Amino acid sequence: MARNNDRQDRNAAREEPEMLEKLVGINRVAKVVKGGRRFGFAALVVVGDGKGRAGFGTGKAREVPEAIRKATEGAKRNMVRIPLRDGRTLHHDIKGGYGAGKVMLRAAQAGTGIIAGGPMRAVFEVLGIQDIVAKSIGSSNPHNMIKATFSALTHIQAPRAVAQKRGKRVGDVLGKRADKGAGDEAAAS
C-alpha cells in the first residue's frame, strides 16, 4: 500500500511541474431569494509554468476557497504555449482584443522589466516574460483584459515557424541585421 502511494506521489510530481498561480480578482455576487440574499463568489485566476505556458480560468461557488479551486482547475485545463524570444520577451509587437478590451504588447530590451497594469502583469509573470511593455486601451474589466491579452499572445509567431511555412531560412525571414549595424557605423564616421 505504501509503495503504491509513493508511486502516485512521484507520478503527480512528474506530471505537473511547479505551477505559478495568481489570483486576479474575486467578485461577490448576490442572488435575491425569498427570505433575503444568497451570496456567492466568482474568482478569476491565471496559472503558468514560468517557461512559456499559461492559462486562465474562472470559478463560481458559495465559498471563496472553492471558487479559487474551480478557477485554478479551469486555468490548468486551458493552458496554451506561447513562443518567447530568449525566454524573456516576445518575438514581435502585437495587438489583441476581446469585447471592449483592447491591448497592445511590445517586445522590450533586456532590463526593461514588466511595464503593464493589473491583470496583464499577472499573465506575464506566470508566463515567464521578464521584459515587456503593454498598454490596455479600452475596457479595464479584468476578464476582458485577460482574454484580450491571451488573444494577442496566441497570435504570436516564432521566426522559425514563419520560415518553415514560407519554405525559407530563418535569416531570410528576419532580414540582415548585421548589415543595419554596418550602415549605421559608416554613417556615423
Side-chain angles (χ1 to χ4, degrees):
M1 215 41 154
R3 196 180 280 168
N4 192 17
N5 287 340
D6 290 342
R7 193 175 306 145
Q8 287 176 346
D9 291 341
R10 274 187 258 132
N11 286 342
R14 194 178 317 132
E15 284 175 20
E16 206 170 298
E18 187 62 31
M19 292 288 179
L20 303 168
E21 300 174 7
K22 292 269 186 186
L23 178 64
V24 176
I26 293 185
N27 290 336
R28 188 179 83 163
V29 293
K31 178 180 181 183
V32 179
V33 293
K34 181 179 172 185
R37 296 187 185 115
R38 284 220 180 115
F39 292 105
F41 298 91
L44 178 61
V45 173
V46 179
V47 173
D49 64 357
K51 297 174 187 163
R53 286 183 63 219
F56 70 94
T58 58
K60 296 179 185 175
R62 298 284 303 275
E63 315 251 329
V64 173
E66 184 67 13
I68 293 171
R69 185 189 61 76
K70 287 181 180 180
T72 304
E73 286 177 4
K76 287 179 182 176
R77 276 196 304 269
N78 298 323
M79 290 185 80
V80 293
R81 177 159 298 286
I82 308 299
L84 300 178
R85 181 174 36 164
D86 303 331
R88 59 164 197 82
T89 190
L90 304 177
H91 284 286
H92 55 83
D93 301 350
I94 193 158
K95 293 180 182 178
Y98 183 87
K102 293 173 182 54
V103 296
M104 185 173 66
L105 313 178
R106 302 194 69 186
Q109 294 178 343
T112 303
I114 299 174
I115 299 175
M120 287 193 295
R121 176 178 285 276
V123 172
F124 301 140
E125 287 175 353
V126 299
L127 195 55
I129 295 177
Q130 297 161 1
D131 302 305
I132 190 166
V133 177
K135 179 70 181 164
S136 169
I137 306 161
S139 174
S140 61
N141 178 336
H143 291 271
N144 286 350
M145 282 177 66
I146 285 183
K147 289 176 183 175
T149 304
F150 272 94
S151 169
L153 290 172
T154 54
H155 286 90
I156 288 182
Q157 296 181 329
R160 184 175 293 155
V162 173
Q164 190 175 9
K165 282 182 191 174
R166 295 182 187 175
K168 296 185 174 191
R169 292 178 297 156
V170 177
D172 296 338
V173 172
L174 291 176
K176 305 284 186 208
R177 291 189 178 186
D179 292 345
K180 283 184 186 176
D184 292 341
E185 289 172 12
S189 302

